[in-house]
């Protein structure tokens, strides 16, 4: 503590030592903590101080007023700066200038306000001119300050200033800012001050202390500006964290040609390669680099040469500063043990460090840096595993557009499922399947999709829908299949006869080629070159290390042999959810399924089920073979029957023909099956209770397949038969008796013993609350957190779209509960169920198979609950593997 | 313990003392326990023994085999009987005969099997003839035994025997059974034995021990016969309880004219009057009384005279036995301290008691008996309160059909809402309202009802629907309003033009008079005389006593002044749920409501809401006046908006005209508002978040009304503003700020301070699980257990109808969870929420306003949780008052 106050609101840093350090990120923000840390390391940091994030909280709690005593602390800290740089704030002959910057716990680049060159006024500017020996620099700095301060603190629109400057340049026939002399700037400054006075009714503040408090207030206030609020919502940063404010002595990169300013990374942030990577500008301030008016120069000679640039590199033009910088790079990497993102300024040949932080990087770079740093003994394997954001792997697992390929953007929609694909436009699922069978690559374009489109989505390279959000049917299914998908592309309008679509005034006929980028939600005309994912050595090394640490198994949600193969390729250790109903939608089966549903009696259903039995058995045989001995959890029929119903007269006719039933009666039955709230209706095990013959057929198919595969391959198939939507033990009891009977019968028929388990989904609050009851019959639980979220919130995923935007705007849902598990509600039920289940059956197998099974934050939570496995869509298996390992490591 | 075994399976009773007593009902069943008790009291009980209910459990757990050692115990107990009556089982000259009867913990009259006269065979019958000196009696007994035993134990259909007897009588030209002589019976017995041998391939068993074990086995087996299973399901009797079996020495009411058999109540079971009430038959066995072939005679002279009967009463014909019986009545009533239901037999002048139990009674009788016994100092006030079944009060609170009035039954439906009513047939709600305004009494007949029928249902005297179950819209709303209702009358078919309906081949035109009995689900042609409910002195006395004991307040769910008045008349202490949306359906408002919903922007909505404001304010003014200072909980708009949408083109046109909007756009908007699962969609507080102006209007109406009433009446109105469907604290936070702002503004405008509370429904599992969070903002919780049940079970009330019958057949739902709270699941959430809510806000007001608020079992549960009040439909208020008192008393 610098000044012995019981509460310390101001932390100084500089060559004389720092009050804070790098560990105090929560209090000082990232920037402030790292400035203190660098200063302590002996690096050249301009002296300054940080006003803590606590002050931000007090500021907002107290009607935007600062706490008593803050002013005195700031005065004292300013005095320390003055002492170190031997200048005085507001002094006419030897003025101290400072920068005032925000700096929160998490980086929010560009979202909050900054003021540079503060301390200039009509008098100190003269002192600065004399002191620097550069009148033009001084006036240039002053006009920059007036413009920035007026914009940020006083709320005078910056367009006014740009207009004045443009007009001035026009009058003088100047092209560049550098064409303006000191006298020119003086003239401009005069106009600037006039516009400020005109706008505000009072002159631009000349008192430097007023300037300082104005800037501090403005930066704190910018924590809650529109941009910052939006950014925080998108990046899940709590408002309560607040920002710190850093006040620091100015150093100038724009004091002539021995001055420069730049940014650098200690490794290449896009590839991870261990090279110094950065850019700088001579005679410029930081904002010029960001503004992109002048072309920045490369840091190293090698980089300059690779890029074919002619402007000299820093290595060449300022070799001493460069050497000093490189030494600092090495020191910082060793100190922080991570790749650093650095800002520096060279003032008349002297290097100053303005910022360092762990650098953002692509997924590919993250993998390489982690693996390399481990090889360099900078970090351990565990740390390497922790360094890669599991969610970022998504980028790597799908094809992507070649960044250099030319493209013709048609429109944008929602980035519903990552990956890129090109193909012929097709507007219906049957056609998509037919064309795909003939070897065509197709993109399926629909207004929206329904379960009947599954085969078409599977056949397609990618999917576009005109309607629907990130959790629409198309989005969920496409992510599950790993198909790129753009949803809710409202611009796309399909012509009624299905021959073409129009997008933003252009017409594209069926069969024309388009390309989609599902990661960005973009749709392009024609083919755009794509790059296949490269699961490099770094990827597999990190995965290996992760697997060593991981406790939970990772399974995949998959029904088709293709999906199962993909999943195994990604390292899945079994199937956690095989949704048998997905097998019902194939064109050659839907007829029998409809016949079954629409039968008015048991015999009719049994006849139809007899047709389905060999098909389902065949599916399971294939699936069990692919999984060769790994566990496979098969969920018995779950969705409401009417999802399978025929809608058009032709479809009804087809069923009538196949079943010999009356078309009118069929229609009536289809109508009778409609439900007000199908989600809460006749589905799941309720179907099994009402129509036991359906589950009997399915169980028979599973067990016959298990016997066949066991005989053919000699491998041990252990099917896990899962009963959906159980609310009461009695449901489980009744169905388990029937299931066991069929299993015994099949094994007797085949003369073979096959191990199998019978368990239940936990997807209703009641199931979770009475899990002790259920565990008396269930050999395993699988948490179906999609439905559990719907029932716990009383919120239908299909219908939430209409008000979810309102909810996100209002900050009610910081995260989409269908993506990341709601720990307080749904998570509490998962914990209760796990605890109660284990109390009755200590070795009960516990897993999760909702969408949350592939979400890192949710995986972290269920590791804490001690589940045995997570199950997710095949393309998320690597993400889950890494997240599961990190969850173990985080527990310590 | 009689025989010192560690486990006692057989309990003897008789004049020599009893092993068991009346408290052992669970082990010995009701009959066995009371026989033992009566014997101990020194009453004349034929000796016998009871095989316990534990044996029943063992029997079923062990593949219907009896435990080792049972046989020896039975033999020993039989020997005790033999010793007491000085006869021997199977002895040719002095045979003991026994009855074998079931007897469970709860009475299940006629559901299980009984065998009488056991111990007769071709030889012992001769002994019986000699011993009794009555050959005809002996052979009559033997043929009765063969018939009964063959039917019950051997499974020979009783029609065979009836056929033989009928044929024999025909041949002999006999009219009555009494016409048959001993020789005739011998001839019949011969034929009986032949048909048994033909049916079974072996002769009728002559070994009396085989007979005994056959009967014991059959009675235990009858515990799980079809009838018993159904009865248990309907009366919520657990299968695990099992039945006991009573074996008892036979006594004979059919040994000539000094013998008789009868049943009696110690008070009149339909009025409760303190008179000996019963019937008997001379020279008959118990089954003859039940069979109803002969007209039974009255017990007392007075009763005989009242009934105008000529056959003498027992008092007159057997004065000694009568005097003995009266003494026993008094002894038993004093002993059991309740009205007794008694079976007795007089064998040749000697009185025997065969059964006593607490007698079933009507609600009216229950009230009178309880009040009288309290006056007689037999029971305390507390016991009197406990003696009345709260649910039975329902009978008393509604008009009922005059039991003596002639009637013309048209058809039956479900007894959806009790009460009787007559009126003109009307098929649409607008017409019902119009006619009612003109003073007509109408019965609304609909295929089914929707929220738009509310005004018609209100205007009608009673409601009939052709479709829908006990929890259909019509049923729930009718119960709420106290309107008699018959639902799901499938026979009723309304003609398309709405001019008439047909019922079972008869056509009834609009305007014709019909009558319904909602308690029985019956529909009659013409007017049937009804009796108004008479809330007698007994009723109000019991209610007074109950109120003294009651801890929880009882409120009503009501919106209209009429309902509120009814509720106050029944003793409601406030309104626990005012569903504001019910106020939106009136013909004069629905247009403005639709205009509001279909507006595409805030201004359109505000314009429509401005029209609604004065109407809602007027409603609240009336309501607050009726409730004069009692608390009123007003729930802000809850249902999905599309419930209010226009369906027909004319309706859309009307909205278009009123709002100046385009018809086409209106249709599109109506379509856009459709939801897949409206129950889980854009409703409740989600509407308040999306369209804050709706709640603002409602809150303004509430507060303006509160101010007006406070000024006009000087009474303190404390509105409790309730936010529905809250899942997250943030929802509550946002809405509470807006609500408080409107309240402050209204009070400022009116220059008046009015106390008000803001609270939330707890109707989602997440709300219950995070109640600590919610309690930080909510000043009260009201448990909306209807929706909480739906979400906890994942079960829509609207859709459950299609599989609920399967579920009840399968025994999955022993009670309908929408009627009686599911304690394990929903109850657990209520407990969690109450506990978490109180942890944060110790004085938080807690209530329940779902249908369960009027269900005695649920009330008992929430008393345990410690809620502050229950709220139910006005007609259930007395039930809730009584149930709440009983809940306190049960806790002890």
């Amino acid at each position: 503590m610098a000044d012995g106050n019981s509460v310390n609101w101001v932390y100084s840093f500089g060559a004389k030592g720092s009050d804070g350090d790098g560990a105090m990120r929560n209090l000082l923000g990232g920037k402030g903590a790292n400035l203190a840390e660098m200063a302590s390391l002996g690096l050249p940091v301009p002296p300054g101080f940080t006003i803590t994030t606590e002050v931000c909280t007090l500021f907002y709690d107290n009607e935007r007023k600062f706490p008593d005593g803050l002013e005195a602390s700031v005065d004292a800290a300013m005095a320390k700066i003055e002492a170190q740089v031997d200048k005085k704030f507001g002094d006419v002959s030897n003025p101290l200038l400072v920068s005032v910057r925000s700096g929160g716990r998490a980086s929010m680049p560009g979202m909050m306000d900054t003021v540079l060159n503060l301390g200039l006024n009509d008098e100190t500017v003269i002192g600065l001119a004399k002191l620097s020996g550069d009148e033009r620099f001084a006036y240039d700095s002053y006009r920059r300050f007036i413009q920035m301060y007026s914009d940020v603190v006083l709320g005078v629109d910056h367009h006014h200033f740009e207009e004045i400057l443009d007009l001035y340049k026009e009058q003088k026939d100047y092209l560049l800012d550098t064409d303006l002399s000191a006298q020119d700037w003086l003239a401009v400054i005069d106009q600037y001050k006039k516009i400020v006075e005109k706008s505000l009714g009072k002159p631009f503040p000349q008192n430097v202390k007023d300037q300082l408090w104005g800037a501090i207030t403005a930066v704190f206030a910018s924590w809650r500006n529109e941009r910052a609020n939006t950014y925080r919502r998108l990046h899940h940063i709590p408002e309560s964290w607040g920002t710190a404010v850093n006040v620091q002595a100015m150093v100038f990169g724009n004091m002539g040609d021995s001055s420069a300013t730049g940014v650098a990374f200690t490794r290449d942030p896009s590839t991870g390669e261990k090279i110094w990577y950065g850019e700088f500008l001579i005679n410029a301030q930081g904002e010029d680099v960001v503004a992109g008016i002048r072309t920045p120069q490369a840091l190293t000679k090698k980089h300059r040469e690779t890029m074919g640039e002619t402007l000299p590199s820093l290595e060449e033009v300022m070799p001493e500063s460069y050497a000093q910088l490189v030494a600092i790079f090495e020191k910082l990497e060793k100190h922080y043990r991570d790749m650093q993102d650095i800002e520096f300024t060279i003032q008349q040949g002297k290097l100053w460090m303005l910022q360092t932080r762990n650098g953002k990087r692509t997924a590919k770079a993250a993998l390489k840096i982690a693996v390399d740093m481990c090889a360099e003994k900078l970090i351990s394997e565990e740390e390497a595993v922790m360094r890669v954001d599991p969610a970022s792997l998504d980028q790597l697992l799908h094809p992507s557009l070649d960044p250099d390929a030319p493209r013709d953007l048609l429109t944008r929609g929602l980035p519903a499922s990552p990956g890129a694909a090109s193909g012929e436009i097709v507007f219906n699922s049957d056609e998509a399947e037919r064309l795909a069978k003939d070897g065509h690559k197709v993109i399926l374009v629909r207004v929206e999709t329904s379960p009947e489109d599954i085969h078409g989505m599977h056949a397609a390279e990618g999917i576009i829908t005109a309607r629907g959000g990130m959790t629409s049917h198309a989005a969920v299914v496409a992510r599950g299949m790993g198909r790129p998908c753009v949803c809710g592309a409202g611009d796309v309008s399909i012509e009624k006869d299905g021959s073409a679509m129009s997008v933003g005034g252009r017409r594209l006929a069926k069969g024309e080629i388009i390309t989609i980028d599902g990661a960005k939600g973009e749709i392009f005309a024609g083919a755009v070159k794509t790059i296949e994912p490269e699961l490099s050595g770094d990827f597999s090394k990190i995965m290996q290390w992760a697997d060593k640490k991981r406790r939970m198994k990772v399974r995949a949600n998959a029904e088709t042999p293709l999906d199962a193969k993909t999943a195994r390729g990604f390292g899945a250790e079994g199937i956690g959810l095989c949704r048998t109903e997905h097998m019902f939608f194939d064109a050659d089966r839907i007829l029998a399924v409809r016949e079954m549903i629409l039968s008015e009696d048991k015999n009719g259903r049994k006849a139809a089920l007899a047709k389905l039995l060999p098909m389902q058995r065949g599916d399971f045989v294939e699936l069990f073979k692919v999984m060769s001995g790994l566990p496979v959890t098969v969920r018995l029929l779950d969705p409401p029957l009417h999802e399978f119903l025929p809608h058009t007269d032709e479809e009804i006719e087809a069923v009538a023909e196949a079943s010999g039933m009356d078309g009118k009666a069929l229609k009536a039955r289809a109508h009778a099956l409609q439900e007000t709230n199908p989600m809460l209706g006749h589905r799941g095990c309720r179907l099994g209770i009402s129509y036991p013959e359906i589950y009997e057929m399915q169980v028979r198919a599973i067990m016959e397949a298990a016997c066949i595969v066991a005989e053919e391959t000699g491998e041990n198939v252990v099917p896990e038969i899962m009963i959906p939507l159980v609310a009461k033990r009695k449901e489980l009891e009744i169905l388990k008796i029937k299931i066991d009977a069929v299993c015994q019968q099949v094994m007797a028929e085949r003369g073979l013993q096959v191990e199998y388990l019978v368990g239940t989904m936990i997807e209703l609050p009641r199931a979770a609350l009475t899990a002790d009851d259920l565990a008396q019959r269930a050999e395993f639980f699988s948490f179906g957190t999609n439905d559990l979220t719907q029932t716990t919130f009383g919120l239908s995923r299909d219908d939430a779209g209409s008000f979810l935007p309102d909810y996100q705007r209002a900050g009610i849902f910081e995260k989409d509960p269908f993506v990341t598990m709601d720990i307080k509600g749904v998570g509490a039920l998962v914990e209760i169920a796990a605890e109660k289940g284990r109390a009755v059956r200590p070795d009960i197998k516990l897993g999760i198979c909702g969408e949350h099974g592939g979400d890192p934050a949710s995986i972290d939570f269920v590791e804490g609950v001690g589940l045995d496995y997570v199950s997710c869509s095949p393309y998320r298996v690597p993400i889950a593997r890494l997240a599961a390992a990190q969850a173990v490591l985080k527990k310590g």
Side-chain angles (χ1 to χ4, degrees), chain A:
Chain A
M1 299 282 170
D3 52 5
N5 278 351
S6 62
V7 179
N8 219 357
W9 287 316
V10 174
Y11 285 71
S12 289
F13 54 81
K16 294 278 168 71
S18 302
D19 300 337
D21 61 44
M24 298 168 81
R25 162 179 289 268
N26 293 0
L27 188 65
L28 304 181
K31 183 192 282 281
N34 282 330
L35 284 170
E37 184 86 7
M38 282 199 291
S40 296
L41 286 173
L43 302 186
V45 173
F49 59 88
T50 305
I51 308 176
T52 70
T53 55
E54 287 176 359
V55 173
C56 187
T57 305
L58 288 168
F59 175 74
Y60 283 108
D61 285 354
N62 201 18
E63 296 174 351
R64 305 203 171 205
K65 283 191 207 103
F66 290 112
D68 290 345
L70 180 65
E71 195 177 338
S73 300
V74 166
D75 287 347
M78 283 296 283
K80 278 194 200 171
I81 301 178
E82 289 172 336
Q84 288 189 61
V85 300
D86 196 20
K87 293 172 191 296
K88 266 194 103 60
F89 190 50
D91 190 280
V92 179
S93 56
N94 185 24
L96 166 66
L97 303 194
V98 295
S99 62
V100 181
R101 296 176 210 253
S102 66
R105 202 192 291 195
S107 168
M108 291 172 53
M111 294 303 123
M112 284 177 293
D113 293 334
T114 293
V115 179
L116 302 179
N117 302 319
L118 188 141
L120 284 175
N121 58 21
D122 294 350
E123 295 177 336
T124 57
V125 70
I126 299 168
L128 182 66
K130 278 190 192 145
L131 211 63
S132 62
D134 186 345
E135 209 176 9
R136 189 193 170 282
F137 153 74
Y139 288 107
D140 181 18
S141 296
Y142 191 26
R143 70 93 193 177
R144 283 173 192 260
F145 170 59
I146 295 174
Q147 179 170 352
M148 198 178 248
Y149 192 92
S150 300
D151 177 17
V152 165
V153 180
L154 305 177
V156 181
D157 198 287
H158 57 92
H159 295 299
H160 292 306
F161 303 103
E162 283 152 20
E163 219 173 277
I164 289 169
L165 182 54
D166 286 348
L167 215 68
Y168 190 87
K169 277 152 76 176
E170 210 173 294
Q171 288 165 351
K172 293 278 181 168
D173 210 12
Y174 292 156
L175 195 64
L176 298 173
D177 286 6
T178 41
D179 296 339
L180 276 79
S181 69
Q183 286 318 306
D184 289 326
W185 284 129
L186 245 174
V188 168
I189 285 167
D190 198 51
Q191 293 188 41
Y192 276 12
K193 289 197 294 190
K194 277 189 186 131
I195 194 79
V196 169
E197 184 151 9
K198 195 180 155 203
S199 293
L200 301 176
K202 54 183 179 182
F204 185 83
Q206 293 290 320
N207 179 311
V208 294
K209 208 167 160 183
D210 290 349
Q211 290 176 358
L212 179 63
W213 283 100
I216 291 173
T217 308
V219 173
F220 276 127
S222 70
W223 175 248
R224 289 205 188 164
N225 71 27
E226 198 63 38
R227 271 173 312 167
N229 289 343
T230 305
Y231 186 92
R232 273 198 301 275
R233 200 170 61 235
L234 292 174
H235 292 80
H236 311 308
I237 299 172
E239 193 174 84
S240 62
W241 282 4
T243 186
V245 171
N246 298 290
V247 177
Q248 193 176 19
M250 283 295 298
V251 288
F252 299 95
N254 55 345
M255 261 195 190
D257 287 346
S258 64
S259 299
T261 190
V263 296
F265 291 86
T266 58
R267 313 208 175 200
D268 185 328
S270 46
T271 66
E273 220 182 325
K274 188 165 171 35
I275 52 167
W276 314 127
Y277 181 95
E279 306 174 327
F280 75 104
L281 280 174
I282 288 180
N283 196 14
Q285 272 197 331
E287 46 177 346
D288 300 324
V289 183
V290 179
I293 301 163
R294 288 161 56 192
T295 306
Q297 296 157 248
L299 209 63
T300 62
K301 182 163 175 251
K302 193 173 160 197
H303 189 206
R304 175 181 70 75
E305 287 168 356
T306 325
M307 303 291 288
E309 291 285 349
T310 50
L311 285 171
S313 67
L314 187 73
E315 188 175 1
E316 292 159 305
V317 78
M318 296 183 180
E320 269 174 51
S321 292
Y322 175 76
Q324 204 183 342
L325 199 55
V326 162
I328 288 173
F329 285 172
E330 279 169 353
K331 191 166 190 171
L332 284 176
E333 260 213 0
K334 231 170 228 150
H335 183 73
Y336 285 105
R337 301 161 63 249
D338 201 356
M339 183 262 266
Q340 294 299 297
D341 169 0
I342 282 159
E343 290 177 23
F344 64 90
T345 284
I346 298 166
Q347 179 179 324
Q348 297 181 324
K350 165 136 182 65
L351 175 70
W352 293 98
M353 298 298 297
L354 297 182
Q355 164 132 318
T356 191
R357 59 183 171 194
N358 295 340
K360 290 197 196 303
R361 62 207 78 178
T362 63
K364 199 177 157 185
L367 287 168
K368 181 164 176 55
I369 290 170
V371 171
D372 285 355
M373 284 194 167
C374 188
E376 295 162 23
K377 309 250 186 269
L378 260 178
I379 59 175
S380 65
E381 279 182 13
E382 284 84 351
E383 283 172 301
V385 167
M386 291 303 292
R387 287 288 166 84
V388 180
D389 174 9
S392 74
L393 294 182
D394 220 15
Q395 300 169 24
L396 295 180
L397 304 176
H398 298 274
S400 56
L401 290 185
D402 181 345
D404 301 327
R407 56 197 69 192
D408 172 11
L409 184 69
L410 285 168
T411 187
R412 283 195 178 84
L414 297 169
S417 176
S422 298
E424 299 172 22
I425 297 171
V426 52
F427 297 111
N428 97 42
S429 289
D430 292 340
E431 200 174 348
E433 197 180 33
R434 201 168 49 245
L435 285 168
K437 272 192 187 149
D438 294 348
H440 293 254
K441 298 196 162 195
V442 300
I443 303 285
L444 178 64
V445 183
R446 304 277 296 161
V447 175
E448 51 195 349
T449 64
S450 75
E452 292 178 52
D453 290 311
I454 300 267
H455 63 294
M457 296 173 77
H458 228 289
E461 302 294 312
I463 297 120
I464 296 172
T465 67
R467 274 216 290 261
M470 291 296 285
T471 54
S472 65
H473 177 267
V476 171
V477 173
R479 284 198 293 273
M481 292 178 175
R483 294 287 176 289
C485 176
V486 176
C487 274
D491 242 21
V492 170
S493 155
I494 302 174
E495 290 179 8
K496 271 205 181 134
D497 62 0
S499 65
M501 64 181 189
S502 67
V503 190
R506 291 165 69 174
R507 186 173 182 277
L508 287 103
K510 191 170 72 174
E512 285 192 53
I513 302 290
I514 51 173
T515 300
I516 66 173
D517 181 344
K520 293 199 175 138
E522 293 176 334
I523 306 176
F524 305 96
V528 182
K529 213 181 139 197
T530 59
I531 307 171
E532 279 306 300
E534 188 197 325
L535 303 181
S536 68
D538 294 329
F539 173 83
S540 74
K541 196 158 266 174
I542 289 283
M543 281 296 148
Q544 263 172 26
W545 293 345
D547 287 348
K548 275 200 275 181
K549 296 297 158 197
R550 179 157 60 86
R551 185 191 60 80
M552 289 191 291
K553 296 275 181 195
V554 175
R555 300 194 192 179
N557 301 347
E559 293 79 40
T560 66
L562 185 68
D563 286 349
K565 273 179 207 149
T566 307
R568 290 208 63 183
F570 281 133
E573 295 159 300
I575 287 178
L577 179 63
C578 166
R579 290 152 289 207
T580 49
E581 61 269 17
H582 283 199
M583 300 168 163
F584 279 8
F585 281 108
D586 278 11
D588 53 339
R589 335 197 149 170
I590 188 72
L591 200 62
V593 173
R594 286 172 176 167
E595 198 185 320
M596 184 259 298
I597 296 169
L598 294 171
S599 299
E600 284 183 345
D601 57 22
K602 200 167 187 159
N603 288 337
R605 277 193 298 275
K606 284 202 162 170
L609 286 165
K611 297 183 194 170
L612 287 170
L613 174 63
M615 305 184 199
Q616 281 241 305
R617 183 177 52 221
D619 292 334
F620 291 129
V621 166
E622 279 193 78
L623 203 60
F624 291 155
K625 281 186 180 165
V626 172
M627 297 312 290
S628 59
L630 291 172
V632 176
T633 307
V634 183
R635 181 178 70 186
L636 300 179
L637 191 69
D638 181 48
L641 291 183
H642 70 69
E643 279 201 9
F644 303 98
L645 285 186
H647 299 298
T648 65
D649 288 348
E650 294 82 47
E651 287 173 331
I652 290 185
E653 206 124 301
V655 179
E657 212 164 287
S659 64
M661 286 167 74
D662 175 50
K664 240 183 174 172
L666 280 182
K667 246 187 188 163
R669 174 117 175 100
H671 182 72
L673 284 171
Q674 295 297 338
E675 296 185 298
T676 313
N677 295 288
M679 180 66 55
L680 307 177
H682 199 183
R683 52 171 289 231
C685 70
R686 296 161 193 171
L687 297 173
I689 298 283
S690 297
Y691 311 119
E693 55 279 6
I694 299 179
Y695 278 12
E696 278 162 13
M697 180 282 282
Q698 294 198 298
V699 172
R700 175 164 280 276
I702 294 165
M703 288 302 283
E704 289 185 351
C707 289
I708 290 168
V709 174
E711 279 186 328
E712 282 185 17
T713 67
E715 253 158 358
N716 228 352
V717 181
V718 184
E720 300 178 351
I721 299 170
M722 182 156 74
I723 303 174
L725 213 73
V726 166
K728 298 201 76 173
R729 186 178 75 182
K730 188 87 180 178
E731 293 170 320
L732 205 51
E733 251 169 32
I734 292 171
L735 293 171
K736 187 168 186 307
I737 288 170
K738 287 188 205 289
I739 289 168
D740 284 339
V742 173
C743 290
Q744 293 304 328
Q745 202 182 336
V746 170
M747 292 191 293
E749 286 165 12
R750 303 253 163 188
L752 208 69
Q753 282 297 311
V754 169
E755 212 186 311
Y756 68 95
L757 300 176
V758 179
T760 182
M761 301 277 282
I762 301 285
E763 53 186 338
L764 296 175
R766 194 181 193 283
L769 292 163
T770 62
D772 43 352
D773 259 18
L774 301 186
Q776 286 176 12
R777 291 294 178 275
E779 293 164 311
F780 63 87
F781 286 168
S782 178
F783 290 96
T785 46
N786 294 352
D787 276 9
L788 192 59
T789 301
Q790 299 197 83
T791 45
T792 304
F793 277 92
L795 182 64
S796 153
R797 210 151 69 150
D798 297 329
D799 302 309
S802 63
F803 57 92
L804 228 47
D806 300 329
Y807 263 52
Q808 295 195 314
R809 248 193 308 280
I812 296 169
F813 284 140
E814 286 179 353
K815 297 183 188 182
D816 181 342
F818 293 112
V819 173
T820 292
M821 196 193 291
D822 159 53
I823 305 291
K824 265 204 125 165
V826 176
L829 288 174
V830 170
E831 273 185 314
I832 289 170
E835 194 181 303
K836 290 196 164 192
R838 284 204 201 96
V840 167
R841 192 186 286 263
D843 63 343
I844 192 164
K845 203 186 251 193
L846 301 174
I848 176 173
C849 66
E851 291 261 306
H852 305 99
D855 168 66
S858 310
I859 291 170
D860 187 57
F861 173 73
V862 299
E863 167 67 31
V865 178
L867 299 197
D868 298 304
Y869 68 86
V870 300
S871 188
C872 56
S873 60
Y875 279 86
R876 294 194 77 85
V877 166
I879 296 170
R881 284 163 67 196
L882 182 55
Q886 291 188 350
V888 170
L889 293 171
K890 271 187 219 164
K891 282 202 300 189

